[in-house]
Amino acid sequence: MAVFDTPKEAFGVLRPVCVQLTKIQTVENVEHLQAQLRVVSDTALQELQQYVLFPLRFTLKTPGPKRERLIQSVVECLTFVLSSTCVKDQDLLQELFSELSACLYSPSSQKPAAVSEELKLAVIQGLSTLMHSAYGDIVLTFYEPSILPRLGFAVSLLLGLAEQEKSKQIKIAALKCLQVLLFQCECEDHPKSLEEHEQKQLGDLFASFLPGISTTLTRVITGDFKQGHSIVVSSLSIFYKTVGFILADEQLRRDSTVQAKPAVEHRIAELMVHREADWVKNTGDKLTVLIKKIIECVSVHPHWKVRLELVELVEVLLLKCSQSLVESAGPLLKALVGLVNDESPEVQAQCNKVLRHFALQKVVVGNRAFADILSENLHSLTTSLPRLMNSQDDQGKLSTLSLLLGYLKLLGPKVSFVLNSVAHLQRLSKALIQVLELDMADIKIVEERHWNSDDLSASPKILASQPWNQIQRRYFRFFTDERVFLLLRQVCQLLGFYGNLYLLVDHFMELYHESVVYRKQAAMILNELIVGAAGLEVEDLHEKHIKTSSEELREIVTSILEEYTSQENWHLVTCIEAEEMGGELTVKQSGLQAITPGAHTCQVISFPASSKPSPSICSMNSNIWQICIQLEGIGHFAYALQKDFCLLLMSVLYPVLEKAGDQTLLISQVATSAMMDICHACGYDSLQHLINQNSDYLVNGISLNLRHLALHPHTPKVLEVMLRNSDASLLPLVVDVVQDVLATLDQFYDKRATSIVSVLHALLTALAQWFPDTSNLTLLQEQTSEKEGSHLSQRPTTLNKGFRNTATAEDIELFLLNYLKEKNVADGNVSDFDNEEEEQPVLPEVDENASPPDVEPPLPVQIQIARDVMERCIHLLSDKNLKIRLKVLDVLDLCVVVLQSHKNQLLPLAHRAWPSLVHRLTNDDPLAVLRAFKLI
């Protein structure tokens, strides 16, 4: 389609259409005109602007009712003209502004007209396009006192649409148009910098609208979250830009002198505002109320862009209006600090940037320095912290702790000045101790037992990805949201990093000693203080801060470790176990509950009146968690000290190994996690490496403690964990200790059998793994390939099959026939005995060694140990405790596996064990019968 570039050509095309529209105002004529306008160049249309606008304006001003569709098409056509041309006449600008605004006003009701959403959107876009089409400085001449009524009318209309309309599109369009009218548009058409008199002119004019703008936008901002984040973001932007412009300290300083009011009509003069001191004070007080409402709502808004805009609001108002909004400075800083730990990285980054700027520029808010306001706010927060932690829900606790964390980050080393106040330190510690109180009602912690220790030889890297607090979730009395606990950890770490570490550790150690109620919480706080003091997980915003030296940190850790591993804090009652000790039942500090694995019922042990009362579930849970928290602390200390922890390794390795063998599952898991932390810090590849490198120290400690087993009842557990997590290189070191264990069993078989038999089971399990017998497997394969012969020739095969625990029906039949034959021999049947004698010559063929008959070769160490263990266990097969009998049967099974290639050692012991095994088969608990049959 041809384009008409010259005004003459364009006029020839547009004249008949404009005349037709002037005569008959219809939608078709308007659309015809707009179609013709599309083929006219912008240059030609600029020359014919007022001529083309005349029929459109005439249509709008024609009295009488008009169809909405006609008005909408006229406004859209007018908007098209304005988007292609510039308005260079001030009167035309004002008249068009009034005519467009009138399209949305109902004179009869004096309220926005009830028109269609399409018309509202068209008028709003028309107003926005009109203000953008104002040429050069002509837009500034628009903002004169005489325009105040018309401008106020348009502002009210747009605010009403932004607040009351349901259409999101209209709301956003109204807010954008309001930005244009208030000179906040970011497009290039508007001048970016204004002269002083121009700023004053606009400031005086907009001051009249400030009450209406601020209150309406506050209602929009604090409205329903469902309205959409973009509406809230636009409203926040208009709010702080308008307030920041009208109440800017720079403008108000120039307006401090009393100036003559401009010569305007009396009606308009009443609308004008002179920004004198009293007006600024009253307006600032009223805005403080609105700002607090906005902060309270927006700081918890679910969308991060809204919270990010709040950061911008705080920055603008504090930088531009620090004198006029003195009362708002505290809430604004509080909002900014509360967003320092926002979940959105964008909000965090912008917050830190603004706060760094405030700190470096030494911003003065009112007459006070930035740091002084922070200190005052922190004092106020710590004063009310115990009450807040007690009364708030999880979301409230998150907000309060985020605020506390922000103050600690910003004050940095100056935190010490606040904590030096005894009252503030006590309030802060009281709040932390209170909120960290654990819920001790979970019975599952006591129930979960550690029946079979798994192999813990995984590498530190594997278990490092599984922190101990993921093994068992902690339940707190006063909150359920895990984010609250994460914030509490960060608070404690920052206190350790910036605070006086000696003062804090002494204070919380006093609370640790003061009451059992405080002990777990104090230990958790102490653990995080040390991690924070090492500076490993702390973001330092202060370059000149001096961290705690490694020597001081190691000294403090040493004192805490001594307290953690002391007898009264390390060996606590974690379960109930009944054992006969000296003829009376006692409560043991740790061990298995009297629950049979696989059983459906649990027998509750009843203690006689003369014995100690049973501890409650809550008290045992409390003790379990205290031990776990202290073990966690050891892992934290290793993480904090890194290589320096090697100097403390000898003081903690033995106690931690002791807990790694604990029968309470949670304690065992946390102790293992702590050992992995130690491995990582001290440079060990695995737990096996850690144990092997320090085995001489551990074996020496075990040997000494076995001599005083009554004082150190957990000693066998250490040896048990060592055996489960080491290799054959450990055997030469523990030979003497094994003999000590066997001697202890001989001496205290009626008191310590349970723990010692567990050690023997771990020992034989290790020997079976370290020294597998491959020759027996080859022999077994050869024998199974042969054809079936006589009963006597099948007997070795049956025994070997028994080692594999894969007995068939034929094997059982053969076993019973052999048993009957041996029983006849035992009863004195000579003929059977002779037959047996005839079979004996086959046995010497088994020995192929050429050594002299009077000199026996020395037995391997593992064979000697297995023989000695089997000798002791035979005596315990008739123990009255079912648990011991079951464990002994398992140990004997392992002894057979180890001794299977040394028949001269195995067969006499098997003969000695036979009567007790028969008794187990014929007169015992079904579990014992099954185990005994498996062993046979």
Side-chain angles (χ1 to χ4, degrees):
M1 184 179 291
V3 176
F4 300 98
D5 292 327
T6 64
K8 184 176 181 180
E9 293 174 340
F11 181 75
V13 173
L14 296 175
R15 182 178 178 277
V17 183
C18 291
V19 171
Q20 182 68 18
L21 179 59
T22 306
K23 291 179 180 180
I24 305 173
Q25 292 88 27
T26 62
V27 175
E28 292 75 13
N29 288 337
V30 176
E31 291 176 348
H32 189 200
L33 173 60
Q34 188 165 352
Q36 294 299 322
L37 290 173
R38 296 184 188 279
V39 297
V40 176
S41 66
D42 292 347
T43 306
L45 186 57
Q46 179 67 51
E47 295 294 329
L48 301 172
Q49 182 192 55
Q50 295 201 31
Y51 180 80
V52 174
L53 290 175
F54 175 79
L56 297 171
R57 296 175 60 193
F58 180 78
T59 304
L60 291 177
K61 291 187 290 185
T62 301
K66 290 180 284 292
R67 290 187 303 160
E68 284 187 10
R69 183 71 184 87
L70 175 61
I71 299 174
Q72 180 183 341
S73 60
V74 169
V75 172
E76 289 173 351
C77 186
L78 192 147
T79 302
F80 177 80
V81 174
L82 293 175
S83 65
S84 304
T85 61
C86 296
V87 178
K88 299 181 179 180
D89 183 67
Q90 178 182 355
D91 294 334
L92 178 61
L93 180 62
Q94 294 183 4
E95 290 170 5
L96 286 171
F97 185 83
S98 300
E99 292 163 6
L100 285 172
S101 300
C103 294
L104 296 179
Y105 183 69
S106 175
S108 59
S109 62
Q110 296 184 350
K111 291 181 179 180
V115 296
S116 65
E117 292 182 351
E118 291 79 9
L119 178 56
K120 292 175 183 177
L121 190 60
V123 173
I124 294 170
Q125 291 172 348
L127 284 171
S128 182
T129 305
L130 173 64
M131 299 308 298
H132 280 106
S133 67
Y135 180 76
D137 293 339
I138 192 71
V139 69
L140 293 175
T141 62
F142 175 79
Y143 293 95
E144 294 180 349
S146 60
I147 198 67
L148 192 59
R150 279 177 282 185
L151 185 60
F153 171 70
V155 169
S156 299
L157 280 175
L158 293 172
L159 287 172
L161 292 172
E163 180 183 9
Q164 299 167 8
E165 278 298 316
K166 295 181 179 180
S167 170
K168 181 178 178 181
Q169 189 178 9
I170 293 178
K171 283 175 171 284
I172 294 175
L175 290 170
K176 288 184 177 179
C177 186
L178 189 61
Q179 282 183 311
V180 176
L181 290 182
L182 296 176
F183 231 78
Q184 297 172 12
C185 183
E186 298 178 355
C187 65
E188 297 180 357
D189 295 336
H190 281 88
K192 293 297 181 182
S193 59
L194 300 172
E195 300 293 335
E196 288 186 6
H197 70 279
E198 294 171 341
Q199 292 181 3
K200 178 186 180 303
Q201 175 185 340
L202 291 175
D204 291 339
L205 202 66
F206 294 160
S208 303
F209 312 141
L210 184 58
I213 292 174
S214 58
T215 52
T216 304
L217 289 178
T218 300
R219 288 196 296 269
V220 175
I221 293 168
T222 58
D224 192 351
F225 289 163
K226 296 178 182 177
Q227 65 183 322
H229 75 276
S230 56
I231 295 172
V232 182
V233 169
S234 297
S235 301
L236 280 170
S237 177
I238 297 172
F239 183 93
Y240 70 75
K241 287 180 180 178
T242 304
V243 173
F245 182 74
I246 297 171
L247 292 179
D249 296 333
E250 187 178 355
Q251 279 202 48
L252 295 176
R253 278 196 297 268
R254 292 197 298 266
D255 287 351
S256 58
T257 58
V258 178
Q259 298 178 0
K261 294 185 178 181
V264 293
E265 298 178 14
H266 178 70
R267 183 174 63 88
I268 297 177
E270 291 179 350
L271 300 175
M272 294 291 294
V273 170
H274 183 65
R275 293 176 290 175
E276 57 189 5
D278 291 340
W279 179 88
V280 172
K281 177 70 169 60
N282 293 333
T283 304
D285 292 343
K286 293 174 182 177
L287 283 173
T288 299
V289 178
L290 298 179
I291 289 172
K292 287 181 179 179
K293 288 183 179 179
I294 291 173
I295 290 171
E296 183 179 349
C297 179
V298 175
S299 59
V300 295
H301 197 282
H303 203 284
W304 67 271
K305 288 187 177 179
V306 177
R307 302 194 300 274
L308 183 63
E309 198 67 21
L310 179 61
V311 177
E312 297 291 337
L313 179 146
V314 174
E315 181 181 17
V316 169
L317 295 186
L318 284 179
L319 289 178
K320 292 187 175 181
C321 311
S322 61
Q323 305 300 320
S324 56
L325 295 176
V326 174
E327 298 300 323
S328 300
L332 288 170
L333 270 180
K334 182 179 178 180
L336 189 62
V337 173
L339 293 173
V340 168
N341 305 289
D342 193 86
E343 60 186 17
S344 166
E346 291 86 354
V347 177
Q348 278 194 30
Q350 184 63 22
C351 238
N352 288 327
K353 178 182 176 182
V354 173
L355 289 168
R356 280 198 190 96
H357 175 71
F358 284 178
L360 293 175
Q361 297 297 326
K362 298 182 180 179
V363 175
V364 176
V365 182
N367 296 320
R368 296 175 296 170
F370 177 65
D372 293 338
I373 298 177
L374 289 176
S375 297
E376 182 179 326
N377 286 1
L378 180 57
H379 278 88
S380 175
L381 181 61
T382 53
T383 301
S384 58
L385 196 60
R387 176 182 56 81
L388 292 174
M389 290 293 101
N390 189 40
S391 60
Q392 290 179 326
D393 58 6
D394 283 5
Q395 188 60 47
K397 288 181 174 68
L398 281 171
S399 300
T400 301
L401 291 172
S402 295
L403 190 61
L404 175 61
L405 187 59
Y407 286 138
L408 295 177
K409 277 186 177 180
L410 295 172
L411 283 172
K414 294 183 180 179
V415 168
S416 295
F417 296 112
V418 179
L419 298 179
N420 284 338
S421 167
V422 176
H424 285 93
L425 179 58
Q426 287 180 344
R427 292 191 189 100
L428 178 61
S429 61
K430 179 181 178 181
L432 294 176
I433 290 287
Q434 173 184 299
V435 76
L436 282 170
E437 184 176 351
L438 290 164
D439 185 359
M440 294 298 137
D442 188 6
I443 192 173
K444 186 171 73 171
I445 298 174
V446 178
E447 284 181 336
E448 289 183 334
R449 314 306 296 153
H450 194 62
W451 295 101
N452 295 312
S453 299
D454 298 326
D455 184 23
L456 304 175
S457 59
S459 67
K461 293 181 180 179
I462 295 175
L463 292 182
S465 62
Q466 302 174 350
W468 80 273
N469 54 8
Q470 294 180 2
I471 297 171
Q472 170 68 46
R473 181 181 174 183
R474 283 168 284 191
Y475 293 95
F476 295 90
R477 283 192 61 190
F478 299 108
F479 66 88
T480 56
D481 195 330
E482 190 68 18
R483 294 176 298 171
V484 176
F485 179 60
L486 296 177
L487 280 177
L488 286 166
R489 290 186 59 193
Q490 293 179 48
V491 166
C492 296
Q493 289 170 8
L494 275 179
L495 288 172
F497 187 70
Y498 288 124
N500 184 331
L501 191 59
Y502 284 102
L503 173 66
L504 291 168
V505 170
D506 286 346
H507 180 76
F508 285 103
M509 285 304 295
E510 287 179 6
L511 293 174
Y512 182 91
H513 293 132
E514 184 177 325
S515 171
V516 177
V517 178
Y518 300 154
R519 193 159 295 163
K520 293 177 293 298
Q521 301 95 296
M524 279 190 273
I525 295 170
L526 287 167
N527 297 344
E528 301 301 336
L529 286 176
I530 298 302
V531 173
L536 298 176
E537 298 181 6
V538 178
E539 180 186 5
D540 187 10
L541 302 178
H542 305 270
E543 298 176 355
K544 297 182 180 180
H545 173 60
I546 301 174
K547 296 197 299 185
T548 306
S549 67
S550 57
E551 291 79 9
E552 291 176 332
L553 194 59
R554 191 171 66 248
E555 291 176 1
I556 293 173
V557 167
T558 303
S559 64
I560 299 175
L561 284 175
E562 289 175 356
E563 199 65 42
Y564 281 1
T565 57
S566 62
Q567 185 72 20
E568 61 273 16
N569 296 323
W570 195 250
H571 300 294
L572 303 172
V573 177
T574 58
C575 66
I576 304 173
E577 179 180 356
E579 284 191 354
E580 286 194 15
M581 297 177 62
E584 62 180 52
L585 291 169
T586 62
V587 178
K588 198 175 181 184
Q589 295 179 135
S590 68
L592 297 171
Q593 287 183 331
I595 304 175
T596 304
H600 298 287
T601 59
C602 172
Q603 294 182 346
V604 180
I605 303 170
S606 60
F607 289 84
S610 60
S611 67
K612 297 180 181 179
S614 303
S616 66
I617 294 294
C618 288
S619 66
M620 287 190 290
N621 276 351
S622 177
N623 291 340
I624 289 171
W625 274 119
Q626 182 183 332
I627 294 171
C628 289
I629 291 167
Q630 292 171 169
L631 284 166
E632 177 208 21
I634 293 174
H636 280 17
F637 301 158
Y639 173 65
L641 292 176
Q642 294 297 313
K643 289 294 183 182
D644 285 346
F645 194 79
C646 294
L647 300 175
L648 306 177
L649 183 59
M650 293 300 100
S651 62
V652 298
L653 183 56
Y654 189 96
V656 174
L657 276 174
E658 188 177 270
K659 294 303 178 186
D662 197 282
Q663 296 297 340
T664 302
L665 180 63
L666 183 59
I667 293 177
S668 176
Q669 289 176 332
V670 179
T672 303
S673 179
M675 289 170 65
M676 298 311 301
D677 290 334
I678 293 172
C679 288
H680 184 75
C682 299
Y684 294 102
D685 298 332
S686 63
L687 286 182
Q688 179 178 315
H689 188 206
L690 171 66
I691 291 172
N692 288 347
Q693 292 297 314
N694 298 279
S695 55
D696 51 348
Y697 153 73
L698 293 170
V699 168
N700 183 59
I702 294 170
S703 179
L704 291 174
N705 290 338
L706 281 174
R707 300 172 188 174
H708 308 283
L709 197 58
L711 299 176
H712 306 282
H714 304 281
T715 300
K717 292 296 179 186
V718 182
L719 180 58
E720 185 177 340
V721 174
M722 289 180 64
L723 292 169
R724 285 199 173 108
N725 298 279
S726 189
D727 54 17
S729 62
L730 182 67
L731 186 59
L733 292 171
V734 299
V735 170
D736 293 337
V737 173
V738 169
Q739 296 303 320
D740 293 340
V741 170
L742 294 175
T744 303
L745 179 62
D746 294 340
Q747 187 176 1
F748 302 105
Y749 65 90
D750 55 339
K751 299 178 181 179
R752 302 293 178 188
T754 300
S755 58
I756 294 179
V757 169
S758 294
V759 176
L760 297 180
H761 185 272
L763 173 64
L764 268 298
T765 302
L767 292 179
Q769 292 175 352
W770 296 345
F771 305 99
D773 189 358
T774 57
S775 61
N776 183 66
L777 180 62
T778 305
L779 179 62
L780 180 62
Q781 292 173 346
E782 293 174 355
Q783 289 175 342
T784 54
S785 63
E786 296 177 357
K787 296 181 179 180
E788 292 186 358
S790 64
H791 293 308
L792 293 178
S793 64
Q794 291 176 1
R795 182 176 179 183
T797 305
T798 305
L799 288 175
N800 287 330
K801 287 181 180 179
F803 289 130
R804 295 187 301 160
N805 298 321
T806 57
T808 64
E810 297 166 351
D811 294 331
I812 297 173
E813 180 184 1
L814 179 61
F815 164 75
L816 292 174
L817 290 173
N818 290 333
Y819 169 71
L820 292 173
K821 186 178 293 186
E822 291 180 1
K823 186 175 184 298
N824 290 332
V825 173
D827 292 339
N829 191 324
V830 179
S831 61
D832 289 341
F833 181 78
D834 293 339
N835 292 336
E836 189 73 20
E837 288 292 334
E838 294 176 359
E839 297 170 3
Q840 295 301 321
V842 180
L843 293 177
E845 296 178 4
V846 177
D847 187 11
E848 299 178 356
N849 295 329
S851 57
D854 56 339
V855 179
E856 293 185 2
L859 294 173
V861 175
Q862 71 271 18
I863 302 302
Q864 297 177 25
I865 293 175
R867 180 193 62 192
D868 295 340
V869 170
M870 193 167 181
E871 286 178 352
R872 266 72 170 192
C873 288
I874 289 171
H875 299 294
L876 294 174
L877 274 175
S878 301
D879 194 277
K880 59 185 178 181
N881 190 328
L882 173 61
K883 185 177 66 177
I884 294 178
R885 296 199 301 275
L886 294 174
K887 202 75 171 179
V888 166
L889 287 168
D890 289 339
V891 174
L892 287 173
D893 195 351
L894 292 167
C895 288
V896 171
V897 173
V898 175
L899 293 172
Q900 58 185 306
S901 60
H902 291 74
K903 299 294 190 300
N904 291 339
Q905 307 297 325
L906 175 61
L907 295 179
L909 291 172
H911 183 72
R912 288 173 55 189
W914 189 258
S916 295
L917 279 175
V918 172
H919 193 64
R920 300 283 74 73
L921 285 168
T922 56
N923 186 21
D924 207 335
D925 187 274
L927 285 174
V929 173
L930 290 175
R931 298 280 181 93
F933 198 78
K934 176 185 173 183
L935 173 61
I936 291 175

